[in-house]
Amino acid sequence: SQQGEEDPQALSIQEGENATMNCSYKTSINNLQWYRQNSGRGLVHLILIRSNEREKHSGRLRVTLDTSKKSSSLLITASRAADTASYFCATDYGDDMRFGAGTRLTVKP
Amino acid sequence: EAQVTQNPRYLITVTGKKLTVTCSQNMNHEYMSWYRQDPGLGLRQIYYSMNVEVTDKGDVPEGYKVSRKEKRNFPLILESPSPNQTSLYFCASSLSGQDWANYGYTFGSGTRLTVV
């Protein structure tokens, strides 16, 4: 069953704007990961945040984790048309990893 | 280049005709897994393997078989495909069963299967 649920399901913004996607989960996790998928292609690992971390940065990506609310957010700053893709959160609760249904991001030039 | 290779990329078959989707990784990863991706449902795990000769069911194993006779290969077998198995399939691997906690998975490019 799915563990993480992304919100919104779809997001459309202009190039240069920031994009924020959220992920909520139900049970305690060891870490949470974000992946990107270009249309019909394999998922690519973007960033991982551990349960004892609150914020992490990687280039234009910023991930936050609030374990009390069981939620995470992925912020992409200064978005580009090439950021158009689906973004998935994956929650690791020890035995395995579970993926959400994803947020479809469209960045218009 | 370190990668997970799936074949074929696209496959159209008829109900009941046995098929195999191959998956191979060149990273000496112990852990391998199969997922299917359907609209609105995200990725659901079919089977996974912690190491050679060790396989376990995921969330949706019905209608599928796997084998792990050697570390690099993890084929997905559909003995009698049905239309509800039409989906996009992904193979993934990581160095160990716990290594996904540090580095995540490496995914293949996917196999789009249509069963008519």
Side-chain angles (χ1 to χ4, degrees), chain A residues 1-2 31 33 35 37 41-43 45 48 50 88 92 95-98 100, chain B residues 9 31 35 37 41-42 45 59 90 100-105 107-109:
Chain A
S1 59
Q2 289 173 221
N31 66 66
Q33 304 177 23
Y35 288 79
Q37 182 184 34
R41 310 292 294 185
L43 280 71
H45 184 257
L48 178 154
R50 301 189 189 286
F88 294 85
D92 168 17
D95 293 337
D96 206 342
M97 197 154 64
R98 292 284 185 265
Chain B
R9 284 295 317 279
Y31 181 91
Y35 288 87
Q37 184 179 28
L41 296 178
Q45 191 178 49
D59 294 322
F90 289 101
W100 71 62
N102 294 316
Y103 304 111
Y105 287 158
F107 279 84
S109 296

PDB file of all heavy atoms in Angstrom, chain A residues 1-2 31 33 35 37 41-43 45 48 50 88 92 95-98 100, chain B residues 9 31 35 37 41-42 45 59 90 100-105 107-109:
ATOM      1  N   SER A   1       0.849  -1.189   0.000  1.00  0.00           N
ATOM      2  CA  SER A   1       0.000   0.000   0.000  1.00  0.00           C
ATOM      3  C   SER A   1       0.879   1.232   0.000  1.00  0.00           C
ATOM      4  O   SER A   1       2.033   1.192   0.411  1.00  0.00           O
ATOM      5  CB  SER A   1      -0.898   0.021   1.216  1.00  0.00           C
ATOM      6  OG  SER A   1      -0.132   0.017   2.384  1.00  0.00           O
ATOM      7  N   GLN A   2       0.337   2.346  -0.501  1.00  0.00           N
ATOM      8  CA  GLN A   2       1.105   3.576  -0.537  1.00  0.00           C
ATOM      9  C   GLN A   2       1.317   4.093   0.869  1.00  0.00           C
ATOM     10  O   GLN A   2       0.440   4.042   1.715  1.00  0.00           O
ATOM     11  CB  GLN A   2       0.375   4.642  -1.358  1.00  0.00           C
ATOM     12  CG  GLN A   2       0.368   4.331  -2.832  1.00  0.00           C
ATOM     13  CD  GLN A   2      -0.503   5.301  -3.624  1.00  0.00           C
ATOM     14  OE1 GLN A   2      -1.205   4.906  -4.507  1.00  0.00           O
ATOM     15  NE2 GLN A   2      -0.461   6.554  -3.268  1.00  0.00           N
ATOM     16  N   ASN A  31      13.662   7.409   7.097  1.00  0.00           N
ATOM     17  CA  ASN A  31      14.041   8.542   6.266  1.00  0.00           C
ATOM     18  C   ASN A  31      13.001   8.735   5.184  1.00  0.00           C
ATOM     19  O   ASN A  31      12.104   7.894   5.016  1.00  0.00           O
ATOM     20  CB  ASN A  31      15.439   8.357   5.649  1.00  0.00           C
ATOM     21  CG  ASN A  31      15.481   7.208   4.654  1.00  0.00           C
ATOM     22  OD1 ASN A  31      14.847   7.276   3.607  1.00  0.00           O
ATOM     23  ND2 ASN A  31      16.230   6.171   4.965  1.00  0.00           N
ATOM     24  N   GLN A  33      12.681  10.094   1.053  1.00  0.00           N
ATOM     25  CA  GLN A  33      13.460  10.398  -0.145  1.00  0.00           C
ATOM     26  C   GLN A  33      12.540  11.009  -1.199  1.00  0.00           C
ATOM     27  O   GLN A  33      11.359  10.687  -1.270  1.00  0.00           O
ATOM     28  CB  GLN A  33      14.100   9.113  -0.688  1.00  0.00           C
ATOM     29  CG  GLN A  33      14.958   8.394   0.340  1.00  0.00           C
ATOM     30  CD  GLN A  33      15.535   7.095  -0.166  1.00  0.00           C
ATOM     31  OE1 GLN A  33      15.678   6.897  -1.369  1.00  0.00           O
ATOM     32  NE2 GLN A  33      15.874   6.202   0.756  1.00  0.00           N
ATOM     33  N   TYR A  35      12.181  11.592  -5.393  1.00  0.00           N
ATOM     34  CA  TYR A  35      12.624  11.128  -6.700  1.00  0.00           C
ATOM     35  C   TYR A  35      11.954  11.965  -7.773  1.00  0.00           C
ATOM     36  O   TYR A  35      10.865  12.499  -7.586  1.00  0.00           O
ATOM     37  CB  TYR A  35      12.250   9.659  -6.923  1.00  0.00           C
ATOM     38  CG  TYR A  35      13.052   8.665  -6.132  1.00  0.00           C
ATOM     39  CD1 TYR A  35      12.787   8.425  -4.789  1.00  0.00           C
ATOM     40  CD2 TYR A  35      14.092   7.944  -6.737  1.00  0.00           C
ATOM     41  CE1 TYR A  35      13.526   7.507  -4.064  1.00  0.00           C
ATOM     42  CE2 TYR A  35      14.833   7.016  -6.020  1.00  0.00           C
ATOM     43  CZ  TYR A  35      14.538   6.805  -4.689  1.00  0.00           C
ATOM     44  OH  TYR A  35      15.276   5.899  -3.986  1.00  0.00           O
ATOM     45  N   GLN A  37      10.824  11.844 -11.972  1.00  0.00           N
ATOM     46  CA  GLN A  37      10.595  10.968 -13.109  1.00  0.00           C
ATOM     47  C   GLN A  37      10.212  11.808 -14.313  1.00  0.00           C
ATOM     48  O   GLN A  37       9.176  12.479 -14.295  1.00  0.00           O
ATOM     49  CB  GLN A  37       9.486   9.954 -12.827  1.00  0.00           C
ATOM     50  CG  GLN A  37       9.235   8.992 -13.973  1.00  0.00           C
ATOM     51  CD  GLN A  37       8.070   8.063 -13.712  1.00  0.00           C
ATOM     52  OE1 GLN A  37       7.093   8.435 -13.078  1.00  0.00           O
ATOM     53  NE2 GLN A  37       8.171   6.828 -14.196  1.00  0.00           N
ATOM     54  N   ARG A  41       9.945   7.544 -17.998  1.00  0.00           N
ATOM     55  CA  ARG A  41      11.309   7.064 -17.736  1.00  0.00           C
ATOM     56  C   ARG A  41      11.444   6.577 -16.300  1.00  0.00           C
ATOM     57  O   ARG A  41      10.518   6.673 -15.503  1.00  0.00           O
ATOM     58  CB  ARG A  41      12.322   8.180 -17.993  1.00  0.00           C
ATOM     59  CG  ARG A  41      12.182   8.872 -19.320  1.00  0.00           C
ATOM     60  CD  ARG A  41      12.523   7.958 -20.471  1.00  0.00           C
ATOM     61  NE  ARG A  41      13.929   7.569 -20.469  1.00  0.00           N
ATOM     62  CZ  ARG A  41      14.500   6.853 -21.434  1.00  0.00           C
ATOM     63  NH1 ARG A  41      13.775   6.456 -22.451  1.00  0.00           N
ATOM     64  NH2 ARG A  41      15.766   6.543 -21.374  1.00  0.00           N
ATOM     65  N   GLY A  42      12.611   6.048 -15.996  1.00  0.00           N
ATOM     66  CA  GLY A  42      12.863   5.587 -14.638  1.00  0.00           C
ATOM     67  C   GLY A  42      13.002   6.730 -13.650  1.00  0.00           C
ATOM     68  O   GLY A  42      13.258   7.863 -14.022  1.00  0.00           O
ATOM     69  N   LEU A  43      12.813   6.418 -12.379  1.00  0.00           N
ATOM     70  CA  LEU A  43      12.933   7.433 -11.336  1.00  0.00           C
ATOM     71  C   LEU A  43      14.400   7.691 -11.029  1.00  0.00           C
ATOM     72  O   LEU A  43      15.221   6.781 -11.036  1.00  0.00           O
ATOM     73  CB  LEU A  43      12.227   6.979 -10.064  1.00  0.00           C
ATOM     74  CG  LEU A  43      10.713   7.139 -10.033  1.00  0.00           C
ATOM     75  CD1 LEU A  43      10.024   6.146 -10.954  1.00  0.00           C
ATOM     76  CD2 LEU A  43      10.194   7.015  -8.606  1.00  0.00           C
ATOM     77  N   HIS A  45      16.920   9.388  -8.131  1.00  0.00           N
ATOM     78  CA  HIS A  45      16.999   9.816  -6.740  1.00  0.00           C
ATOM     79  C   HIS A  45      17.505  11.253  -6.666  1.00  0.00           C
ATOM     80  O   HIS A  45      18.530  11.596  -7.254  1.00  0.00           O
ATOM     81  CB  HIS A  45      17.957   8.885  -5.993  1.00  0.00           C
ATOM     82  CG  HIS A  45      18.053   9.164  -4.534  1.00  0.00           C
ATOM     83  ND1 HIS A  45      19.119   9.821  -3.982  1.00  0.00           N
ATOM     84  CD2 HIS A  45      17.219   8.869  -3.515  1.00  0.00           C
ATOM     85  CE1 HIS A  45      18.937   9.913  -2.678  1.00  0.00           C
ATOM     86  NE2 HIS A  45      17.802   9.339  -2.376  1.00  0.00           N
ATOM     87  N   LEU A  48      17.712  12.829   0.057  1.00  0.00           N
ATOM     88  CA  LEU A  48      17.255  12.007   1.175  1.00  0.00           C
ATOM     89  C   LEU A  48      17.342  12.833   2.447  1.00  0.00           C
ATOM     90  O   LEU A  48      18.335  13.536   2.664  1.00  0.00           O
ATOM     91  CB  LEU A  48      18.126  10.757   1.275  1.00  0.00           C
ATOM     92  CG  LEU A  48      17.883   9.742   2.399  1.00  0.00           C
ATOM     93  CD1 LEU A  48      18.356   8.374   1.944  1.00  0.00           C
ATOM     94  CD2 LEU A  48      18.616  10.132   3.682  1.00  0.00           C
ATOM     95  N   ARG A  50      16.863  12.351   6.685  1.00  0.00           N
ATOM     96  CA  ARG A  50      16.679  11.365   7.745  1.00  0.00           C
ATOM     97  C   ARG A  50      15.658  11.871   8.767  1.00  0.00           C
ATOM     98  O   ARG A  50      15.401  13.064   8.873  1.00  0.00           O
ATOM     99  CB  ARG A  50      18.014  11.074   8.434  1.00  0.00           C
ATOM    100  CG  ARG A  50      19.055  10.550   7.479  1.00  0.00           C
ATOM    101  CD  ARG A  50      20.303  10.071   8.204  1.00  0.00           C
ATOM    102  NE  ARG A  50      21.362   9.773   7.250  1.00  0.00           N
ATOM    103  CZ  ARG A  50      21.389   8.714   6.476  1.00  0.00           C
ATOM    104  NH1 ARG A  50      20.420   7.834   6.528  1.00  0.00           N
ATOM    105  NH2 ARG A  50      22.379   8.527   5.639  1.00  0.00           N
ATOM    106  N   PHE A  88       8.166  12.272  -6.795  1.00  0.00           N
ATOM    107  CA  PHE A  88       7.623  11.289  -5.867  1.00  0.00           C
ATOM    108  C   PHE A  88       8.366  11.350  -4.543  1.00  0.00           C
ATOM    109  O   PHE A  88       9.590  11.480  -4.523  1.00  0.00           O
ATOM    110  CB  PHE A  88       7.785   9.867  -6.423  1.00  0.00           C
ATOM    111  CG  PHE A  88       6.988   9.600  -7.660  1.00  0.00           C
ATOM    112  CD1 PHE A  88       7.493   9.944  -8.906  1.00  0.00           C
ATOM    113  CD2 PHE A  88       5.748   8.993  -7.587  1.00  0.00           C
ATOM    114  CE1 PHE A  88       6.772   9.704 -10.069  1.00  0.00           C
ATOM    115  CE2 PHE A  88       5.019   8.740  -8.739  1.00  0.00           C
ATOM    116  CZ  PHE A  88       5.530   9.095  -9.973  1.00  0.00           C
ATOM    117  N   ASP A  92      10.735   5.433   3.985  1.00  0.00           N
ATOM    118  CA  ASP A  92      11.432   4.241   4.439  1.00  0.00           C
ATOM    119  C   ASP A  92      11.040   3.999   5.883  1.00  0.00           C
ATOM    120  O   ASP A  92      11.412   4.769   6.782  1.00  0.00           O
ATOM    121  CB  ASP A  92      12.937   4.449   4.299  1.00  0.00           C
ATOM    122  CG  ASP A  92      13.744   3.371   5.007  1.00  0.00           C
ATOM    123  OD1 ASP A  92      13.183   2.302   5.339  1.00  0.00           O
ATOM    124  OD2 ASP A  92      14.941   3.608   5.238  1.00  0.00           O
ATOM    125  N   ASP A  95      11.523  -1.808   6.889  1.00  0.00           N
ATOM    126  CA  ASP A  95      11.539  -3.037   6.099  1.00  0.00           C
ATOM    127  C   ASP A  95      11.598  -2.748   4.609  1.00  0.00           C
ATOM    128  O   ASP A  95      12.112  -3.555   3.842  1.00  0.00           O
ATOM    129  CB  ASP A  95      10.279  -3.864   6.381  1.00  0.00           C
ATOM    130  CG  ASP A  95      10.251  -4.390   7.793  1.00  0.00           C
ATOM    131  OD1 ASP A  95      11.346  -4.493   8.389  1.00  0.00           O
ATOM    132  OD2 ASP A  95       9.167  -4.678   8.302  1.00  0.00           O
ATOM    133  N   ASP A  96      11.053  -1.636   4.218  1.00  0.00           N
ATOM    134  CA  ASP A  96      10.981  -1.367   2.787  1.00  0.00           C
ATOM    135  C   ASP A  96      10.667   0.098   2.565  1.00  0.00           C
ATOM    136  O   ASP A  96      10.511   0.872   3.498  1.00  0.00           O
ATOM    137  CB  ASP A  96       9.916  -2.249   2.143  1.00  0.00           C
ATOM    138  CG  ASP A  96      10.210  -2.495   0.676  1.00  0.00           C
ATOM    139  OD1 ASP A  96      10.999  -1.734   0.091  1.00  0.00           O
ATOM    140  OD2 ASP A  96       9.648  -3.440   0.111  1.00  0.00           O
ATOM    141  N   MET A  97      10.571   0.444   1.308  1.00  0.00           N
ATOM    142  CA  MET A  97      10.283   1.816   0.935  1.00  0.00           C
ATOM    143  C   MET A  97       8.979   1.859   0.172  1.00  0.00           C
ATOM    144  O   MET A  97       8.708   0.986  -0.640  1.00  0.00           O
ATOM    145  CB  MET A  97      11.431   2.349   0.069  1.00  0.00           C
ATOM    146  CG  MET A  97      11.456   3.835  -0.055  1.00  0.00           C
ATOM    147  SD  MET A  97      13.112   4.457  -0.389  1.00  0.00           S
ATOM    148  CE  MET A  97      13.433   3.735  -1.984  1.00  0.00           C
ATOM    149  N   ARG A  98       8.174   2.881   0.436  1.00  0.00           N
ATOM    150  CA  ARG A  98       6.879   3.027  -0.214  1.00  0.00           C
ATOM    151  C   ARG A  98       6.826   4.356  -0.944  1.00  0.00           C
ATOM    152  O   ARG A  98       7.265   5.369  -0.431  1.00  0.00           O
ATOM    153  CB  ARG A  98       5.747   2.967   0.821  1.00  0.00           C
ATOM    154  CG  ARG A  98       5.574   1.605   1.456  1.00  0.00           C
ATOM    155  CD  ARG A  98       4.883   0.646   0.511  1.00  0.00           C
ATOM    156  NE  ARG A  98       4.612  -0.635   1.142  1.00  0.00           N
ATOM    157  CZ  ARG A  98       5.400  -1.696   1.052  1.00  0.00           C
ATOM    158  NH1 ARG A  98       6.514  -1.622   0.342  1.00  0.00           N
ATOM    159  NH2 ARG A  98       5.084  -2.818   1.644  1.00  0.00           N
ATOM    160  N   GLY A 100       4.642   7.372  -3.086  1.00  0.00           N
ATOM    161  CA  GLY A 100       3.352   7.998  -3.283  1.00  0.00           C
ATOM    162  C   GLY A 100       2.994   8.026  -4.751  1.00  0.00           C
ATOM    163  O   GLY A 100       3.717   7.506  -5.601  1.00  0.00           O
TER     164      GLY A 100
ATOM    165  N   ARG B   9      11.867  -2.483 -23.781  1.00  0.00           N
ATOM    166  CA  ARG B   9      11.288  -1.202 -23.361  1.00  0.00           C
ATOM    167  C   ARG B   9       9.780  -1.198 -23.587  1.00  0.00           C
ATOM    168  O   ARG B   9       9.041  -0.617 -22.798  1.00  0.00           O
ATOM    169  CB  ARG B   9      11.913  -0.045 -24.144  1.00  0.00           C
ATOM    170  CG  ARG B   9      13.307   0.347 -23.726  1.00  0.00           C
ATOM    171  CD  ARG B   9      13.366   0.905 -22.303  1.00  0.00           C
ATOM    172  NE  ARG B   9      12.314   1.838 -21.954  1.00  0.00           N
ATOM    173  CZ  ARG B   9      12.298   3.112 -22.269  1.00  0.00           C
ATOM    174  NH1 ARG B   9      13.273   3.632 -22.974  1.00  0.00           N
ATOM    175  NH2 ARG B   9      11.298   3.889 -21.893  1.00  0.00           N
ATOM    176  N   TYR B  31      20.567  -5.910  -3.461  1.00  0.00           N
ATOM    177  CA  TYR B  31      19.116  -5.768  -3.387  1.00  0.00           C
ATOM    178  C   TYR B  31      18.564  -5.386  -4.747  1.00  0.00           C
ATOM    179  O   TYR B  31      19.037  -4.450  -5.391  1.00  0.00           O
ATOM    180  CB  TYR B  31      18.768  -4.689  -2.361  1.00  0.00           C
ATOM    181  CG  TYR B  31      17.281  -4.463  -2.173  1.00  0.00           C
ATOM    182  CD1 TYR B  31      16.568  -5.161  -1.221  1.00  0.00           C
ATOM    183  CD2 TYR B  31      16.607  -3.533  -2.962  1.00  0.00           C
ATOM    184  CE1 TYR B  31      15.207  -4.948  -1.042  1.00  0.00           C
ATOM    185  CE2 TYR B  31      15.248  -3.320  -2.801  1.00  0.00           C
ATOM    186  CZ  TYR B  31      14.559  -4.031  -1.841  1.00  0.00           C
ATOM    187  OH  TYR B  31      13.215  -3.817  -1.681  1.00  0.00           O
ATOM    188  N   TYR B  35       8.747  -3.065  -9.538  1.00  0.00           N
ATOM    189  CA  TYR B  35       7.582  -2.239  -9.266  1.00  0.00           C
ATOM    190  C   TYR B  35       6.726  -2.158 -10.530  1.00  0.00           C
ATOM    191  O   TYR B  35       7.235  -2.243 -11.639  1.00  0.00           O
ATOM    192  CB  TYR B  35       7.989  -0.807  -8.895  1.00  0.00           C
ATOM    193  CG  TYR B  35       8.621  -0.664  -7.537  1.00  0.00           C
ATOM    194  CD1 TYR B  35       9.988  -0.847  -7.368  1.00  0.00           C
ATOM    195  CD2 TYR B  35       7.859  -0.331  -6.425  1.00  0.00           C
ATOM    196  CE1 TYR B  35      10.577  -0.704  -6.122  1.00  0.00           C
ATOM    197  CE2 TYR B  35       8.436  -0.182  -5.176  1.00  0.00           C
ATOM    198  CZ  TYR B  35       9.797  -0.379  -5.036  1.00  0.00           C
ATOM    199  OH  TYR B  35      10.369  -0.239  -3.794  1.00  0.00           O
ATOM    200  N   GLN B  37       3.839   0.626 -12.145  1.00  0.00           N
ATOM    201  CA  GLN B  37       3.336   1.982 -11.985  1.00  0.00           C
ATOM    202  C   GLN B  37       2.068   2.145 -12.789  1.00  0.00           C
ATOM    203  O   GLN B  37       2.062   1.934 -14.009  1.00  0.00           O
ATOM    204  CB  GLN B  37       4.371   3.018 -12.428  1.00  0.00           C
ATOM    205  CG  GLN B  37       3.933   4.448 -12.188  1.00  0.00           C
ATOM    206  CD  GLN B  37       4.991   5.454 -12.603  1.00  0.00           C
ATOM    207  OE1 GLN B  37       5.796   5.208 -13.487  1.00  0.00           O
ATOM    208  NE2 GLN B  37       5.008   6.602 -11.935  1.00  0.00           N
ATOM    209  N   LEU B  41      -1.895   5.537  -8.837  1.00  0.00           N
ATOM    210  CA  LEU B  41      -1.554   4.559  -7.795  1.00  0.00           C
ATOM    211  C   LEU B  41      -0.092   4.592  -7.407  1.00  0.00           C
ATOM    212  O   LEU B  41       0.332   3.882  -6.499  1.00  0.00           O
ATOM    213  CB  LEU B  41      -1.927   3.150  -8.259  1.00  0.00           C
ATOM    214  CG  LEU B  41      -3.410   2.891  -8.498  1.00  0.00           C
ATOM    215  CD1 LEU B  41      -3.623   1.476  -9.005  1.00  0.00           C
ATOM    216  CD2 LEU B  41      -4.216   3.136  -7.224  1.00  0.00           C
ATOM    217  N   GLY B  42       0.693   5.381  -8.093  1.00  0.00           N
ATOM    218  CA  GLY B  42       2.111   5.431  -7.771  1.00  0.00           C
ATOM    219  C   GLY B  42       2.803   4.130  -8.119  1.00  0.00           C
ATOM    220  O   GLY B  42       2.372   3.378  -8.986  1.00  0.00           O
ATOM    221  N   GLN B  45       5.119  -2.290  -5.209  1.00  0.00           N
ATOM    222  CA  GLN B  45       6.162  -3.304  -5.284  1.00  0.00           C
ATOM    223  C   GLN B  45       5.572  -4.669  -5.579  1.00  0.00           C
ATOM    224  O   GLN B  45       4.601  -5.099  -4.953  1.00  0.00           O
ATOM    225  CB  GLN B  45       6.950  -3.344  -3.986  1.00  0.00           C
ATOM    226  CG  GLN B  45       8.212  -4.168  -4.063  1.00  0.00           C
ATOM    227  CD  GLN B  45       8.989  -4.146  -2.775  1.00  0.00           C
ATOM    228  OE1 GLN B  45       8.446  -4.369  -1.708  1.00  0.00           O
ATOM    229  NE2 GLN B  45      10.271  -3.858  -2.867  1.00  0.00           N
ATOM    230  N   ASP B  59       3.799  -5.969  -2.484  1.00  0.00           N
ATOM    231  CA  ASP B  59       2.385  -5.694  -2.250  1.00  0.00           C
ATOM    232  C   ASP B  59       1.453  -6.340  -3.269  1.00  0.00           C
ATOM    233  O   ASP B  59       0.311  -6.653  -2.950  1.00  0.00           O
ATOM    234  CB  ASP B  59       2.156  -4.175  -2.292  1.00  0.00           C
ATOM    235  CG  ASP B  59       2.841  -3.478  -1.141  1.00  0.00           C
ATOM    236  OD1 ASP B  59       2.856  -4.034  -0.031  1.00  0.00           O
ATOM    237  OD2 ASP B  59       3.376  -2.371  -1.363  1.00  0.00           O
ATOM    238  N   PHE B  90       9.051  -1.222 -13.541  1.00  0.00           N
ATOM    239  CA  PHE B  90      10.400  -0.750 -13.252  1.00  0.00           C
ATOM    240  C   PHE B  90      11.147  -1.743 -12.380  1.00  0.00           C
ATOM    241  O   PHE B  90      10.591  -2.273 -11.419  1.00  0.00           O
ATOM    242  CB  PHE B  90      10.373   0.595 -12.510  1.00  0.00           C
ATOM    243  CG  PHE B  90       9.931   1.736 -13.365  1.00  0.00           C
ATOM    244  CD1 PHE B  90       8.643   2.222 -13.278  1.00  0.00           C
ATOM    245  CD2 PHE B  90      10.814   2.317 -14.261  1.00  0.00           C
ATOM    246  CE1 PHE B  90       8.238   3.283 -14.074  1.00  0.00           C
ATOM    247  CE2 PHE B  90      10.423   3.378 -15.058  1.00  0.00           C
ATOM    248  CZ  PHE B  90       9.127   3.851 -14.970  1.00  0.00           C
ATOM    249  N   TRP B 100      19.429   1.455   0.715  1.00  0.00           N
ATOM    250  CA  TRP B 100      18.497   2.445   0.219  1.00  0.00           C
ATOM    251  C   TRP B 100      18.311   3.577   1.226  1.00  0.00           C
ATOM    252  O   TRP B 100      17.933   4.665   0.874  1.00  0.00           O
ATOM    253  CB  TRP B 100      17.152   1.816  -0.147  1.00  0.00           C
ATOM    254  CG  TRP B 100      16.316   1.368   1.008  1.00  0.00           C
ATOM    255  CD1 TRP B 100      15.794   2.131   2.020  1.00  0.00           C
ATOM    256  CD2 TRP B 100      15.911   0.038   1.283  1.00  0.00           C
ATOM    257  NE1 TRP B 100      15.091   1.350   2.884  1.00  0.00           N
ATOM    258  CE2 TRP B 100      15.133   0.071   2.471  1.00  0.00           C
ATOM    259  CE3 TRP B 100      16.106  -1.176   0.636  1.00  0.00           C
ATOM    260  CZ2 TRP B 100      14.575  -1.079   3.016  1.00  0.00           C
ATOM    261  CZ3 TRP B 100      15.539  -2.301   1.182  1.00  0.00           C
ATOM    262  CH2 TRP B 100      14.788  -2.266   2.350  1.00  0.00           C
ATOM    263  N   ALA B 101      18.600   3.245   2.503  1.00  0.00           N
ATOM    264  CA  ALA B 101      18.454   4.256   3.546  1.00  0.00           C
ATOM    265  C   ALA B 101      19.508   5.349   3.418  1.00  0.00           C
ATOM    266  O   ALA B 101      19.364   6.425   3.974  1.00  0.00           O
ATOM    267  CB  ALA B 101      18.536   3.615   4.922  1.00  0.00           C
ATOM    268  N   ASN B 102      20.580   5.079   2.707  1.00  0.00           N
ATOM    269  CA  ASN B 102      21.629   6.074   2.535  1.00  0.00           C
ATOM    270  C   ASN B 102      21.651   6.663   1.135  1.00  0.00           C
ATOM    271  O   ASN B 102      21.915   7.843   0.957  1.00  0.00           O
ATOM    272  CB  ASN B 102      22.988   5.447   2.828  1.00  0.00           C
ATOM    273  CG  ASN B 102      23.129   5.037   4.273  1.00  0.00           C
ATOM    274  OD1 ASN B 102      22.766   5.782   5.167  1.00  0.00           O
ATOM    275  ND2 ASN B 102      23.639   3.839   4.506  1.00  0.00           N
ATOM    276  N   TYR B 103      21.371   5.843   0.160  1.00  0.00           N
ATOM    277  CA  TYR B 103      21.572   6.292  -1.209  1.00  0.00           C
ATOM    278  C   TYR B 103      20.348   6.134  -2.104  1.00  0.00           C
ATOM    279  O   TYR B 103      20.353   6.560  -3.240  1.00  0.00           O
ATOM    280  CB  TYR B 103      22.740   5.535  -1.841  1.00  0.00           C
ATOM    281  CG  TYR B 103      24.015   5.658  -1.055  1.00  0.00           C
ATOM    282  CD1 TYR B 103      24.543   4.575  -0.380  1.00  0.00           C
ATOM    283  CD2 TYR B 103      24.681   6.873  -0.959  1.00  0.00           C
ATOM    284  CE1 TYR B 103      25.706   4.693   0.369  1.00  0.00           C
ATOM    285  CE2 TYR B 103      25.841   7.002  -0.225  1.00  0.00           C
ATOM    286  CZ  TYR B 103      26.344   5.903   0.433  1.00  0.00           C
ATOM    287  OH  TYR B 103      27.494   6.027   1.159  1.00  0.00           O
ATOM    288  N   GLY B 104      19.317   5.507  -1.618  1.00  0.00           N
ATOM    289  CA  GLY B 104      18.150   5.321  -2.458  1.00  0.00           C
ATOM    290  C   GLY B 104      18.359   4.219  -3.476  1.00  0.00           C
ATOM    291  O   GLY B 104      19.328   3.470  -3.435  1.00  0.00           O
ATOM    292  N   TYR B 105      17.414   4.121  -4.377  1.00  0.00           N
ATOM    293  CA  TYR B 105      17.452   3.112  -5.416  1.00  0.00           C
ATOM    294  C   TYR B 105      18.015   3.673  -6.722  1.00  0.00           C
ATOM    295  O   TYR B 105      17.908   4.863  -6.993  1.00  0.00           O
ATOM    296  CB  TYR B 105      16.037   2.649  -5.757  1.00  0.00           C
ATOM    297  CG  TYR B 105      15.349   1.770  -4.756  1.00  0.00           C
ATOM    298  CD1 TYR B 105      13.962   1.679  -4.754  1.00  0.00           C
ATOM    299  CD2 TYR B 105      16.046   1.007  -3.830  1.00  0.00           C
ATOM    300  CE1 TYR B 105      13.287   0.866  -3.859  1.00  0.00           C
ATOM    301  CE2 TYR B 105      15.379   0.200  -2.922  1.00  0.00           C
ATOM    302  CZ  TYR B 105      14.001   0.135  -2.954  1.00  0.00           C
ATOM    303  OH  TYR B 105      13.345  -0.663  -2.072  1.00  0.00           O
ATOM    304  N   PHE B 107      17.092   3.078 -10.602  1.00  0.00           N
ATOM    305  CA  PHE B 107      15.993   2.514 -11.386  1.00  0.00           C
ATOM    306  C   PHE B 107      16.408   2.247 -12.825  1.00  0.00           C
ATOM    307  O   PHE B 107      17.237   2.963 -13.400  1.00  0.00           O
ATOM    308  CB  PHE B 107      14.807   3.476 -11.413  1.00  0.00           C
ATOM    309  CG  PHE B 107      13.947   3.413 -10.195  1.00  0.00           C
ATOM    310  CD1 PHE B 107      14.281   4.132  -9.062  1.00  0.00           C
ATOM    311  CD2 PHE B 107      12.810   2.639 -10.170  1.00  0.00           C
ATOM    312  CE1 PHE B 107      13.488   4.085  -7.924  1.00  0.00           C
ATOM    313  CE2 PHE B 107      11.999   2.585  -9.042  1.00  0.00           C
ATOM    314  CZ  PHE B 107      12.352   3.302  -7.915  1.00  0.00           C
ATOM    315  N   GLY B 108      15.782   1.227 -13.412  1.00  0.00           N
ATOM    316  CA  GLY B 108      15.876   1.029 -14.845  1.00  0.00           C
ATOM    317  C   GLY B 108      14.967   2.008 -15.571  1.00  0.00           C
ATOM    318  O   GLY B 108      14.219   2.763 -14.951  1.00  0.00           O
ATOM    319  N   SER B 109      15.025   1.976 -16.893  1.00  0.00           N
ATOM    320  CA  SER B 109      14.269   2.931 -17.704  1.00  0.00           C
ATOM    321  C   SER B 109      12.812   2.545 -17.903  1.00  0.00           C
ATOM    322  O   SER B 109      12.033   3.332 -18.439  1.00  0.00           O
ATOM    323  CB  SER B 109      14.927   3.085 -19.080  1.00  0.00           C
ATOM    324  OG  SER B 109      16.217   3.641 -18.931  1.00  0.00           O
TER     325      SER B 109
END
